């Protein structure tokens, strides 16, 4: 009986962790935020720290969330683009490499040096981008490349028989910087070089760009290829642990991870990946999915977005919303199931002062059984980055945490 099986609920507030900020009197946004439900989990459950990013890898959400799903990224991570491909319903053949293909704005400065003006071409609209990508199909005709339109500036290029071992640069990592060195990598690969070259010619004289410039907006002057890899080969959670379940996230990357882990992607209307997301809809979908499966992963992107924007008030708001609109209602509504384990945490820190991700280990909140947990917390209880300071539970990776969560030995 599905209703009698233990249910596993994993709640992720993307990028919630931070460093102390002098604007907050030396406290972090999580420390200042009102989070009564996570505080309750802290005094009723167990805490510790877990390393979600292996030392030698970049602190991306793709790597961190792969860890949280119990997969070793060192073994299974092949790139970000193949995960996004999966969320777009693109199945990669064994000899195909997927690249993320951004529409970007490159600008030539007074000295004639070409620089990264904007990794998102001014967050170009999907409608405009689709017109551009349609014209760019000319640049892949008769080549081993296929171009797939996505949302806004985020598109996908698939290279049959291509090389995945190139060293490419995420364009958001080099704002304002000269691009020549980063472009070298394409020049060495004639297939990519001629695509990038032909694309810039098509974009240079495109009506969409003329309209954008006339309206004072940034043109999508170039394509930028990065995040490449072949399809990862992950055993599903059902194959590994007999767990069937669902992935609830507004973010393509997470949906793609879910596809490879064998989780059912659930589309929640109004899920935006931002402060205005449909929290109630996500909680309702999570509870509903558990009626016929055992595992659900609920991912909330807003704290990370607020951190990239560098907004302290928005980050505090996003954390308070995660606690009040996700953690609280889940704790309440999951009581309808007879055996429930809940793991609540962040995938990585996104410190406001850096406006990007870092590799620090993250604190987790593990409640092994919801029923019977009823301790009233002393008022001093506060879940924050320091919550695990007194704990001796330092886990080396997400694999270990996942095994603890679902009660198997690794
Ligand atoms: Zn993240």
């Amino acid at each position: 009986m599905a209703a009698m099986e233990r249910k596993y609920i994993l709640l992720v507030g993307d990028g919630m962790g931070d460093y102390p900020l002098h604007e907050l009197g030396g406290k972090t946004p999580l420390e200042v935020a009102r989070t009564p439900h996570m505080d309750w989990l802290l005094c009723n459950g167990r805490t510790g720290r877990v390393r979600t990013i292996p030392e030698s890898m970049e602190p991306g959400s793709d790597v961190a969330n792969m860890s949280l799903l119990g997969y070793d990224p060192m073994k299974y991570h092949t790139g970000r683009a193949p995960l996004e491909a999966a969320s777009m319903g693109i199945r990669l053949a064994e000899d195909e490499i997927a690249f993320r293909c951004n529409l970007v704005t490159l600008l030539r400065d007074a000295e004639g040096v070409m620089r990264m003006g904007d990794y998102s071409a001014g967050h170009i609209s999907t409608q405009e981008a689709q017109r551009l990508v349609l014209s760019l199909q000319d640049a892949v005709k008769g080549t081993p490349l296929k171009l797939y339109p996505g949302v806004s500036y985020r598109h996908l290029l698939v290279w049959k028989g291509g090389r995945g071992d190139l060293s490419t640069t995420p364009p958001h990592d080099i704002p304002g910087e000269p691009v020549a060195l980063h472009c070298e990598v394409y020049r060495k690969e004639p297939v990519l070089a001629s695509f990038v070259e032909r694309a810039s010619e098509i974009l240079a004289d495109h009506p969409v760009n003329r309209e954008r410039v006339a309206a004072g907006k940034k043109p999508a002057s170039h394509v930028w290829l990065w995040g490449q890899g072949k399809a990862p080969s992950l055993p599903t959670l059902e194959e590994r642990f007999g767990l069937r379940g669902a992935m609830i996230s507004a973010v393509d990357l997470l949906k793609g991870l879910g596809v490879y882990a064998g989780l059912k992607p659930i589309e929640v209307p109004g899920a935006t990946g931002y402060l205005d997301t449909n929290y109630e809809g996500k909680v309702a979908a999570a509870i509903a999915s558990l009626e016929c499966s055992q595992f659900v992963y609920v991912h909330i992107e807003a704290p990370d977005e607020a951190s990239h924007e560098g907004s302290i008030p928005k980050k505090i708001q996003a954390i308070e919303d995660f606690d009040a609109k996700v953690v609280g209602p889940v704790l309440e509504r999951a009581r309808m199931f007879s055996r429930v384990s809940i793991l609540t945490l962040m995938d990585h820190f996104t410190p406001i002062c850096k406006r990007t991700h870092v590799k620090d280990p993250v604190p987790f909140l593990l409640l092994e059984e919801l029923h019977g947990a009823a301790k009233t917390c002393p008022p001093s209880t506060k879940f924050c980055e320091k919550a695990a300071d007194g704990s001796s539970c330092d886990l080396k990776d997400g694999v270990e945490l996942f095994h603890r969560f679902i009660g198997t030995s690794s």
Side-chain angles (χ1 to χ4, degrees):
M1 273 288 289
M4 293 298 289
E5 286 172 338
R6 179 167 288 282
K7 308 295 184 186
Y8 299 95
I9 306 174
L10 212 164
L11 306 175
V12 179
D14 200 302
M16 279 197 299
D18 213 305
Y19 296 152
L21 290 163
H22 66 83
E23 293 93 331
L24 298 177
K27 292 187 171 178
T28 68
L30 184 55
E31 215 173 341
V32 168
R34 221 181 86 78
T35 58
H37 304 291
M38 287 192 277
D39 301 343
W40 182 87
L41 283 170
L42 178 62
C43 68
N44 279 280
R46 294 209 277 160
T47 188
R49 245 185 306 255
V50 60
R51 192 170 279 286
T52 57
I53 313 279
E55 205 58 67
S56 62
M57 295 185 84
E58 292 299 315
S61 287
D62 44 351
V63 174
N65 285 279
M66 184 178 268
S67 286
L68 295 185
L69 272 167
Y71 296 91
D72 178 2
M74 293 289 281
K75 187 167 167 194
Y76 293 111
H77 185 266
T78 58
R80 174 187 180 115
L83 299 172
E84 294 181 337
S87 82
M88 290 163 73
I90 302 165
R91 278 207 163 274
L92 296 174
E94 215 153 277
D95 63 341
E96 288 183 327
I97 305 289
F99 286 76
R100 172 71 167 274
C101 179
N102 276 41
L103 288 171
V104 301
T105 310
L106 300 187
L107 299 168
R108 207 174 280 286
D109 69 12
E111 277 85 54
V113 177
M114 196 68 115
R115 293 175 180 275
M116 179 58 68
D118 192 325
Y119 71 91
S120 70
H123 281 88
I124 189 166
S125 73
T126 300
Q127 217 177 13
E128 289 170 300
Q130 301 234 332
R131 284 169 65 197
L132 293 174
V133 172
L134 191 64
S135 302
L136 288 175
Q137 297 297 349
D138 257 359
V140 297
K141 253 187 214 137
T143 75
L145 303 175
K146 259 192 242 172
L147 184 61
Y148 296 89
V151 171
S152 179
Y153 59 91
R154 304 186 290 267
H155 309 280
L156 214 75
L157 184 79
V158 175
W159 182 12
K160 195 161 191 60
R163 279 182 57 192
D165 60 344
L166 305 170
S167 173
T168 57
T169 310
H172 52 259
D173 280 356
I174 49 166
E177 289 179 30
V179 296
L181 267 179
H182 303 286
C183 294
E184 275 301 305
V185 55
Y186 312 133
R187 291 209 192 93
K188 288 182 204 143
E189 294 297 328
V191 171
L192 299 182
S194 58
F195 167 67
V196 170
E197 177 68 33
R198 180 77 190 102
S200 66
E201 290 165 13
I202 292 169
L203 292 169
D205 195 35
H206 201 282
V208 166
N209 277 330
R210 287 204 297 267
E211 289 158 22
R212 285 184 65 80
V213 172
K217 295 176 187 167
K218 292 172 182 160
S221 65
H222 291 76
V223 292
W224 190 272
L225 306 174
W226 63 284
Q228 76 283 353
K230 61 182 171 61
S233 160
L234 269 61
T236 64
L237 291 179
E238 185 165 14
E239 286 161 349
R240 292 176 71 199
F241 308 111
L243 281 181
R244 286 189 307 118
M247 168 63 75
I248 298 175
S249 171
V251 178
D252 283 346
L253 200 59
L254 271 291
K255 290 183 201 166
L257 259 175
V259 169
Y260 279 109
L263 300 174
K264 189 173 161 205
I266 298 190
E267 289 297 329
V268 175
T272 59
Y274 199 53
L275 284 159
D276 59 355
T277 199
N278 179 3
Y279 291 105
E280 296 77 10
K282 285 187 161 188
V283 171
I287 298 298
S289 77
L290 288 174
E291 287 177 22
C292 51
S293 69
Q294 267 192 286
F295 175 84
V296 68
Y297 196 103
V298 183
H299 170 262
I300 301 292
E301 175 73 354
D304 190 60
E305 287 293 325
S307 312
H308 287 296
E309 279 178 36
S311 169
I312 298 171
K314 280 186 188 169
K315 182 156 189 177
I316 294 172
Q317 178 74 54
I319 294 168
E320 292 190 343
D321 285 350
F322 175 66
D323 189 79
K325 299 179 180 177
V326 179
V327 183
V330 163
L331 288 172
E332 187 59 40
R333 296 188 57 187
R335 289 184 183 277
M336 67 182 277
F337 304 111
S338 56
R339 299 157 71 207
V340 185
S341 301
I342 303 178
L343 176 61
T344 306
L345 75 177
M346 60 206 75
D347 52 349
H348 50 70
F349 287 18
T350 310
I352 293 260
C353 64
K354 296 192 182 276
R355 294 176 72 159
T356 190
H357 310 168
V358 295
K359 296 185 188 180
D360 305 43
V362 303
F364 62 82
L365 293 165
L366 175 57
L367 186 66
E368 281 157 310
E369 180 48 69
L370 173 63
H371 294 283
K375 237 189 258 169
T376 315
C377 311
S380 60
T381 311
K382 183 70 191 88
F383 177 62
C384 67
E385 293 79 356
K386 293 196 288 264
D389 277 2
S391 157
S392 58
C393 185
D394 260 326
L395 304 184
K396 70 174 192 306
D397 58 20
V399 180
E400 205 179 337
L401 177 62
F402 198 83
H403 279 280
R404 251 175 221 236
F405 179 35
I406 63 161
T408 59
S409 52
S410 50

